[in-house]
Amino acid sequence: MMRPMRSSPPNNPPKSADSRRDGASSASDKLGSGVQFLTVPEELAGQRIDNFLQARLKGVPRSRIYRILRKGEVRVNKGRVKAEYRLKGGDQVRVPPIRVAEESAPAVAGESLRRTLEAAILYDEGGLLVVNKPAGLAVHGGSGVRLGLIEALRQMYPNSPFMELVHRLDRDTSGAILVARKRSVLLHVQSELRAGKMGKSYLALAAGKWPRGQKLVEAPLRKNTLKSGERMVTVDGEGKPSTTRFQVEERFKGATLVAAEPVTGRTHQIRVHAQFVGCPLAGDTKYATDEINGAFREFGLKRLFLHSARVGCTLPDGTRVDVKAPLPSELESVLAALRKG
């Protein structure tokens, strides 16, 4: 049973990255400028010291982090520790002066994005956020993307010492995504995800007439990287076992609205499985032809029609969370146009 949202993110701008992530750092501190003493918040209890340092020493090679651990330059409660040491809430971590690679100033979430995400928060209880991610926003920065959902949320919740993605959505996919605000929640929900106990359901518009009786697609998937660097996924006998359940929701002339539940969680799984049965998703620039996408543009479709419509899981205390994300208006209008024929 879903409990109501408890809080909304503060409107004040974020402090420094260090004050956001470490309870003992002040806003004027800057890792790399001198010896730092950091207090480990309860939310990070159980994290390995090497991963803790990696998240705070951006630009420092992992080999360098292991070196300062081996040499005893990093101390926890004034004692030496090994890289596999798991932190406890309240631990005092001494970080030595270390040169951090020069980086461009971190991207800051603009007021428009902040307002969009504040309005998109569907659930905020028990250390779990559910966000209705807009299409076009990557879930994290990297590969030419300076700012993603998780970076923006960390700026919006400057007093939350822990903020991590539970799972991912493709950049062009909209809808419900889980974000943990406590390490215990992250580990618990991810264990449910691995065990197939976490519920996820998508709405997708497939091109053509979905085959009657085609409710289960089991086809192994293999990731490939093209010379251009583009990532593609293909059905391949040597790929990883992959299963998706499909249910027809509504039929149109030349298209079918389907609900898709991925049993496994492979990259582009729903998109490739839909293509595999001969009904690629509308607006999919990777797996549908230009001709197909052009036809759907006539109905006003300007993006991939794939939406994470529902997510469900339990919290560590047993509370059941079941959240639905409404279909964006730009996709609803496409369905309305298809109904008119």
Side-chain angles (χ1 to χ4, degrees), residues 7 28 31-32 35-36 42 47 103-104 136 143 224-225 228 230 252 259 276 281 289 300 322 340:
S7 61
S28 61
L31 288 176
V35 173
Q36 301 291 312
E42 290 295 333
Q47 186 175 41
E103 295 183 347
S104 58
S143 301
N224 303 283
T225 302
S228 62
E230 183 181 7
F252 309 94
F276 179 66
L281 299 191
T289 65
D322 192 12
K340 292 179 180 178

Side-chain angles (χ1 to χ4, degrees), residues 122 131-135 169 173-177 303 306-309 325-326 328:
L122 303 173
V131 182
N132 190 1
K133 185 188 82 68
L169 290 179
T173 302
S174 58
I177 184 170
R303 49 159 284 203
L306 181 61
H307 178 73
S308 174

Side-chain angles (χ1 to χ4, degrees), residues 17-318:
D18 301 321
S19 64
R20 181 194 72 221
R21 303 287 286 186
D22 304 296
S25 296
S26 69
S28 61
D29 287 337
K30 184 177 180 181
L31 288 176
S33 60
V35 173
Q36 301 291 312
F37 292 92
L38 309 176
T39 300
V40 177
E42 290 295 333
E43 289 84 352
L44 297 184
Q47 186 175 41
R48 284 174 51 133
I49 183 64
D50 54 347
N51 293 330
F52 176 86
L53 294 171
Q54 183 74 37
R56 285 147 190 81
L57 296 174
K58 299 295 186 182
V60 176
R62 200 169 182 86
S63 59
R64 181 76 186 282
I65 289 175
Y66 285 127
R67 190 180 311 134
I68 61 175
L69 282 166
R70 285 196 304 269
K71 292 173 66 176
E73 295 180 54
V74 174
R75 299 291 177 109
V76 177
N77 302 328
K78 299 183 180 180
R80 298 174 67 141
V81 294
K82 294 183 178 181
E84 58 268 26
Y85 173 79
R86 293 193 178 274
L87 295 163
K88 302 178 181 64
D91 275 354
Q92 296 291 317
V93 180
R94 175 194 184 275
V95 183
I98 185 168
R99 183 180 297 278
V100 179
E102 290 295 327
E103 295 183 347
S104 58
V108 176
E111 189 61 29
S112 177
L113 176 59
R114 289 170 66 90
R115 285 198 301 267
T116 297
L117 292 182
E118 285 171 7
I121 295 170
L122 303 173
Y123 182 90
D124 183 2
E125 277 289 336
L128 182 72
L129 275 176
V130 182
V131 182
N132 190 1
K133 185 188 82 68
L137 177 65
V139 293
H140 59 77
S143 301
V145 177
R146 293 189 62 200
L147 182 75
L149 172 69
I150 192 63
E151 291 85 10
L153 289 174
R154 286 169 181 163
Q155 293 176 23
M156 292 167 60
Y157 289 82
N159 297 319
S160 184
F162 189 88
M163 187 77 73
E164 298 291 346
L165 297 164
V166 174
H167 60 111
R168 303 187 182 196
L169 290 179
D170 291 341
R171 182 174 183 174
D172 295 330
T173 302
S174 58
I177 184 170
L178 300 176
V179 180
R181 295 182 65 184
K182 292 182 180 179
R183 181 173 173 80
S184 59
V185 171
L186 176 70
L187 297 177
H188 177 81
V189 180
Q190 285 188 333
S191 69
E192 287 198 335
L193 181 61
R194 288 191 296 270
K197 296 179 180 179
M198 185 180 134
K200 290 194 295 180
S201 181
Y202 294 75
L203 279 177
L205 185 66
K209 184 177 180 181
W210 190 267
R212 295 192 180 277
Q214 183 72 69
K215 295 186 177 181
L216 189 69
V217 177
E218 295 178 292
L221 300 179
R222 183 175 183 177
K223 286 192 290 188
N224 303 283
T225 302
L226 306 180
K227 290 182 179 180
S228 62
E230 183 181 7
R231 184 174 57 178
M232 297 287 289
V233 178
T234 57
V235 172
D236 190 308
E238 296 183 359
K240 294 181 178 180
S242 307
T243 303
T244 308
R245 297 189 184 98
F246 289 95
Q247 177 67 45
V248 172
E249 296 292 318
E250 189 172 357
R251 292 186 182 273
F252 309 94
K253 183 179 179 180
T256 311
L257 182 67
V258 296
E261 295 183 1
V263 178
T264 51
R266 313 301 181 201
T267 300
H268 300 171
Q269 178 174 311
I270 295 172
R271 298 161 67 180
V272 180
H273 277 176
Q275 179 200 42
F276 179 66
V277 299
C279 297
L281 299 191
D284 194 335
T285 57
K286 281 182 180 287
Y287 303 108
T289 65
D290 291 341
E291 181 181 5
I292 287 174
N293 291 332
F296 282 102
R297 279 195 292 272
E298 297 295 322
F299 292 93
L301 184 62
K302 299 178 181 179
R303 49 159 284 203
L304 172 68
F305 199 123
L306 181 61
H307 178 73
S308 174
R310 184 188 68 82
V311 289
C313 66
T314 61
L315 298 178
D317 65 2

